[in-house]
């Protein structure tokens, strides 16, 4: 992925627009992160009015978007949902047809829905509008309970900050865990929120709050190589296993077992990128026990093999390789 087009129109939402610019538009080459050819486009170049009164000057029409590797649709005002600009519909259809990445943030999903490219697919949008999307487009499997959904090469995200989760997810797919982690740290985003999708940043811990289970999650990550049971985690939290499981899912959006498996996969990703260790050793360090179990979970979470992942994302600079764990 080298070229990114961010599509806005009159009434665009500034925050979600800013998320796309922050994730894909900034020069982070000083941190070793590849740059994208990022351009803001609009059906009508010139001054494009935001929904809160100020305007931005857009130099590019939609031409660049027809060649871009990623096309991002920012939120569209509600008055457009029933009469979407046909130029945007054509663009969405073209991007999907040529197998480009396509992402919508918040109500940008209504552009994709109007284009018909979400028919028969699972998708999401802001929870306030999920029922509207489902009623207007009954052929879409609308899931209002997740931060984002990836179906093929189409990613739809929920409202506002969920766009950050979706962007980091795509960056992890395209650049690997290490690069995505660097971008997340530069963005100073809240740590990973697990809503049932592969949504990860470098060390995914929840924001610490009164009564939070963040300290237990931190302890689990620090002891990831050990065989951690629900009873052990609950004991560390001074709770019964049943109470702990209920509280954990409410806070993290996933069962303790599912969350722990995902953390082990994240750790394996980083070791595959940054060390030359064999799969058996990586499996041991990540708490999977054997290379076979590592492969099984890696494929289930990331839909690829550890070997293929390493071939694509391993660090070429020897200075970045971490020492072999003792």
């Amino acid at each position: 992925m080298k070229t990114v087009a961010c599509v806005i129109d009159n009434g665009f939402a500034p925050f979600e627009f800013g998320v796309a610019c922050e994730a894909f538009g900034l020069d982070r080459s000083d941190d070793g992160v590849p740059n994208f050819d990022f351009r803001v486009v609009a059906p009508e170049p010139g001054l494009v009015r935001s929904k809160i009164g100020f305007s931005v000057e857009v130099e590019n029409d939609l031409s660049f978007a027809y060649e871009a590797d990623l096309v991002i649709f920012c939120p569209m005002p509600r008055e457009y949902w029933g009469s979407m600009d046909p130029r945007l519909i054509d663009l969405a259809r073209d991007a999907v047809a040529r197998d480009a990445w396509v992402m919508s943030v918040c109500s940008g999903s209504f552009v994709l829905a109007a284009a018909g490219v979400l028919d028969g697919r699972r998708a999401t949008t802001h929870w306030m509008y999920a029922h509207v999307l489902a009623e207007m487009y009954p052929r879409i499997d609308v899931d209002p309970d997740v931060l984002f959904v990836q179906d093929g090469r189409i990613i739809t995200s929920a409202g506002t900050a969920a766009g950050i989760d979706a962007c980091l997810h795509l960056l992890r797919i395209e650049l690997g865990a290490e690069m995505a982690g660097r971008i997340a740290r530069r963005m100073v985003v809240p740590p990973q929120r697990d809503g049932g999708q592969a949504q990860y940043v470098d060390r995914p811990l929840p924001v610490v709050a009164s009564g939070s289970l963040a300290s237990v999650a931190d302890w689990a990550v620090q002891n990831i190589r050990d065989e951690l049971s629900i009873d052990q985690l609950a004991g560390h939290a001074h709770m019964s296993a049943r109470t702990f499981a209920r509280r954990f899912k409410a806070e993290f959006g996933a069962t303790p077992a599912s969350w722990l498996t995902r953390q082990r996969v994240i750790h394996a990703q980083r070791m595959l990128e940054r060390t030359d260790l064999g799969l058996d050793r990586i499996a041991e360090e990540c708490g999977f026990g054997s290379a076979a179990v590592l492969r099984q979970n890696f494929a289930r979470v990331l839909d690829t093999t550890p070997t293929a992942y390493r071939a694509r994302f391993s660090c070429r600079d020897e200075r970045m390789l971490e020492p072999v764990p003792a």
Side-chain angles (χ1 to χ4, degrees), residues 76-98:
M76 294 293 165
R78 189 160 188 162
E79 58 266 28
Y80 291 3
W81 294 354
S83 56
M84 200 65 66
D85 190 324
R87 291 171 292 184
L88 298 181
I89 292 176
D90 289 343
L91 174 61
R93 289 173 177 169
D94 175 82
V96 173
R98 61 186 174 84

Side-chain angles (χ1 to χ4, degrees), residues 260-273:
L260 191 57
T261 295
R262 291 174 184 271
Q263 310 322 303
R264 296 191 196 281
V265 170
I266 292 172
H267 193 47
Q269 286 178 269
R270 298 199 67 207
M271 295 190 75
L272 287 164
E273 292 179 16

Side-chain angles (χ1 to χ4, degrees), residues 208-251:
V208 177
S210 176
S212 169
L213 295 175
S215 62
V216 180
D218 191 19
W219 176 81
V221 171
Q222 295 297 330
N223 295 275
I224 200 73
R225 73 192 310 273
D226 298 337
E227 186 176 344
L228 301 173
S229 67
I230 301 301
D231 287 337
Q232 284 177 292
L233 295 171
H236 195 80
H238 306 292
M239 298 178 184
S240 68
R242 177 176 294 183
T243 299
F244 174 79
R246 183 178 68 253
R247 288 272 305 278
F248 192 95
K249 186 168 185 179
E251 185 168 333

Side-chain angles (χ1 to χ4, degrees), residues 20-282:
C21 295
E22 176 78 18
F24 299 101
L26 295 188
D27 182 351
R28 295 188 175 93
S29 56
D30 61 335
D31 205 18
V33 178
N35 285 329
F36 299 103
D37 182 354
F38 176 88
R39 305 184 198 180
V40 179
V41 303
E44 295 290 341
L47 289 178
V48 179
R49 186 182 66 258
S50 77
K51 72 175 185 179
I52 58 174
F54 69 84
S55 299
V56 297
E57 186 167 2
V58 178
E59 298 178 355
N60 305 290
D61 61 16
L62 299 180
S63 301
F64 175 78
Y66 277 91
E67 304 293 332
D69 300 321
L70 166 63
V71 181
I72 304 173
F73 291 91
C74 289
M76 294 293 165
R78 189 160 188 162
E79 58 266 28
Y80 291 3
W81 294 354
S83 56
M84 200 65 66
D85 190 324
R87 291 171 292 184
L88 298 181
I89 292 176
D90 289 343
L91 174 61
R93 289 173 177 169
D94 175 82
V96 173
R98 61 186 174 84
D99 207 29
W101 280 107
V102 178
M103 178 186 295
S104 67
V105 184
C106 192
S107 61
S109 57
F110 282 83
V111 179
L112 305 185
V117 299
L118 296 181
D119 288 356
R121 296 179 184 266
R122 183 165 165 258
T124 194
T125 190
H126 195 294
W127 61 267
M128 290 178 63
Y129 313 135
H131 70 286
V132 179
L133 185 66
E135 290 171 2
M136 290 181 65
Y137 303 99
R139 296 185 63 184
I140 302 174
D141 179 10
V142 180
D143 188 342
D145 298 322
V146 293
L147 298 177
F148 65 83
V149 171
Q150 179 191 345
D151 190 318
R153 291 174 68 85
I154 299 177
I155 299 174
T156 53
S157 77
T160 315
I164 299 175
D165 299 282
C167 290
L168 288 174
H169 172 68
L170 179 54
L171 287 165
R172 180 174 290 276
I173 292 173
E174 286 291 323
L175 302 181
E178 176 63 25
M179 291 296 108
R182 292 186 189 187
I183 294 171
R185 289 191 292 273
R186 286 282 291 268
M187 291 174 69
V188 199
V189 296
Q192 168 256 344
R193 302 180 296 164
D194 196 332
Q197 302 289 325
Q199 304 157 40
Y200 306 116
V201 289
D202 194 28
R203 281 174 56 82
L205 301 176
V207 176
V208 177
S210 176
S212 169
L213 295 175
S215 62
V216 180
D218 191 19
W219 176 81
V221 171
Q222 295 297 330
N223 295 275
I224 200 73
R225 73 192 310 273
D226 298 337
E227 186 176 344
L228 301 173
S229 67
I230 301 301
D231 287 337
Q232 284 177 292
L233 295 171
H236 195 80
H238 306 292
M239 298 178 184
S240 68
R242 177 176 294 183
T243 299
F244 174 79
R246 183 178 68 253
R247 288 272 305 278
F248 192 95
K249 186 168 185 179
E251 185 168 333
F252 287 82
T255 65
S258 176
W259 180 88
L260 191 57
T261 295
R262 291 174 184 271
Q263 310 322 303
R264 296 191 196 281
V265 170
I266 292 172
H267 193 47
Q269 286 178 269
R270 298 199 67 207
M271 295 190 75
L272 287 164
E273 292 179 16
R274 300 178 65 110
T275 77
D276 291 324
L277 294 176
L279 294 187
D280 284 318
R281 183 65 185 281
I282 291 177

